[in-house]
Each structure stands twice: as structure tokens, then as C-alpha cells.
Amino acid sequence: QQQVKQSPQSLIVQKGGISIINCAYENTAFDYFPWYQQFPGKGPALLIAIRPDVSEKKEGRFTISFNKSAKQFSLHIMDSQPGDSATYFCAARFPGNTPLVFGKGTRLSVIA
Amino acid sequence: ETGVTQSPTHLIKTRGQQVTLRCSSQSGHNTVSWYQQALGQGPQFIFQYYREEENGRGNFPPRFSGLQFPNYSSELNVNALELDDSALYLCASSPGGAVADTQYFGPGTRLTVL
């Protein structure tokens, strides 16, 4: 049973456009939802994270929108750039010092 | 501040062999988690160590084992390697305790089993 479902699997966006990646989770006990960015041959790097008591969080060009009732959250990348081309993972975590549960990833390509 | 480091970068083994992967956690972090990332997939949790004790384990067989040392560095050992063990192995460290949210990943070790 996949606890965190991510879509789409791949995404192509024009430079300057908005990239949107969606995730849905099963367990309402999750209380922390990060997004990671991974370049080929590198480990995942934390991009932005949110807790369920907040509906939106913005850091620079990256925004997380969180819908607690729908058990969904999404990553929006504004003014997408070729340097944003990478694989993006959503994740969820139970309270405390617990491991991350990852989605399967979205491969983003930003074309000029 | 030194980030999470892993060694070796790449490793090639044959089926049935044993392998040890190493991880140095970020300064001040007492929790290390190991993940397996198969090609085209998200990382899957293997186990976590907190202050030298195993603090949770994912759905991996006992031939996956680990250690955490007093300086909070860690090892992942895999015995009786199988072809399906070929993957990127990621180590992540976090502060643990009350500030347990953010996990910082190392660059990974790419293991190929032939």
C-alpha cells in the first residue's frame, strides 16, 4: 500500500512557466510534509516543507499548497528555469523522530 | 559546517558477497537514517539509528544490518547480496529529539550487484 502518491510521473514546462506537482497521502497522522529536489548522481536536497496547520508556505519561487480535508498537497514552482530540471519527491512523516515516506518522484524538464 | 558524507561513491559486487557502506552525519546530528533508492523510484526506508541504538526499521530482511558509532557516524552492512540490491543507498542525518523534522541527505553510494 503506497502511503504517499505523487503525480505526474514526468512534466515538461516552458521556461518562465509554472510547474505543479501533486501529492496525496493516506494517513492523517502524518504531521510534516517536505519536498525534496534531486539532481542526477546526487542525494535529495530539502526544498521546502509544511505542517498541516498551515494551508500555504512560500519560499522564493517555491510554494507548497496544503489541503488537509482532501489529504493533498502540491508544489508550485513559479517562473520555472532550466536549472530547475530535476526529480522532485514529496514525502510525509509521522510525529517524532521517524523516517520519511516518499512518493515515487516527478521528473521535471524545463525547456527554453 | 560539514554536511553528510558517504563512502564509497560507487561499488561493484557479485551476488552472494557482503558489503559495508559508510556515512558521516552532519555536525551536531545524533540520528542517522538509511534509505534504498532503486532506479526511477523514491527512497525506501531501511532503518534508523538514534544515539547508537536502532530506532526503527523498514521492510528489509535481516541481512541488512547497521551500526552507529559514538561520533554518530554509521555503517550499513548487507550480507548475501542479491541482484535486486543494486540501488543508490542514501544516508540522512537529523538533529533528533524535539527538532527532528529536517533530514539532510548525503550524495549516496551507488551499489551494483552482478
Side-chain angles (χ1 to χ4, degrees):
Chain A
Q1 181 189 11
Q2 192 181 348
Q3 295 196 67
V4 179
K5 295 182 181 179
Q6 185 172 345
S7 63
Q9 192 172 359
S10 62
L11 183 61
I12 299 174
V13 172
Q14 292 278 350
K15 180 182 174 181
I18 303 174
S19 304
I20 301 174
I21 305 171
N22 301 299
C23 278
Y25 61 97
E26 297 287 328
N27 198 318
T28 56
F30 288 133
D31 78 339
Y32 175 72
F33 302 88
W35 284 90
Y36 281 83
Q37 178 190 57
Q38 186 176 31
F39 292 103
K42 304 289 186 183
L46 179 68
L47 205 55
I48 187 172
I50 199 167
R51 289 193 171 274
D53 53 350
V54 176
S55 62
E56 186 175 280
K57 184 175 181 180
K58 186 174 183 178
E59 289 184 2
R61 297 186 294 112
F62 302 94
T63 299
I64 298 180
S65 296
F66 190 86
N67 186 328
K68 190 173 180 178
S69 61
K71 296 190 288 185
Q72 294 176 346
F73 59 110
S74 60
L75 175 69
H76 296 234
I77 305 174
M78 313 299 287
D79 187 27
S80 299
Q81 299 296 314
D84 297 329
S85 298
T87 300
Y88 292 81
F89 294 95
C90 63
R93 186 173 188 168
F94 293 108
N97 198 9
T98 56
L100 293 164
V101 179
F102 283 88
K104 290 191 173 184
T106 296
R107 190 168 184 173
L108 171 66
S109 297
V110 181
I111 56 176
Chain B
E1 184 179 280
T2 307
V4 179
T5 61
Q6 291 186 244
S7 63
T9 306
H10 296 89
L11 203 52
I12 299 175
K13 292 285 189 178
T14 57
R15 196 169 48 180
Q17 284 189 311
Q18 179 265 343
V19 69
T20 297
L21 311 182
R22 295 178 175 83
C23 170
S24 291
S25 59
Q26 190 163 321
S27 176
H29 289 185
N30 57 26
T31 299
V32 171
S33 304
W34 286 92
Y35 295 81
Q36 180 195 65
Q37 186 178 20
L39 203 60
Q41 299 294 317
Q44 296 290 314
F45 173 66
I46 302 174
F47 44 58
Q48 177 175 279
Y49 280 85
Y50 171 63
R51 293 184 174 177
E52 302 179 62
E53 296 286 331
E54 188 177 291
N55 184 38
R57 187 178 183 92
N59 189 25
F60 280 81
R63 57 189 185 85
F64 285 78
S65 63
L67 279 174
Q68 188 178 32
F69 300 100
N71 66 354
Y72 302 135
S73 65
S74 178
E75 284 183 356
L76 164 65
N77 299 292
V78 188
N79 293 321
L81 284 167
E82 300 178 359
L83 297 179
D84 284 349
D85 295 335
S86 295
L88 181 68
Y89 288 85
L90 295 163
C91 164
S93 76
S94 56
V99 188
D101 292 340
T102 302
Q103 291 194 358
Y104 298 90
F105 284 83
T109 293
R110 171 72 62 188
L111 173 64
T112 302
V113 182
L114 302 176

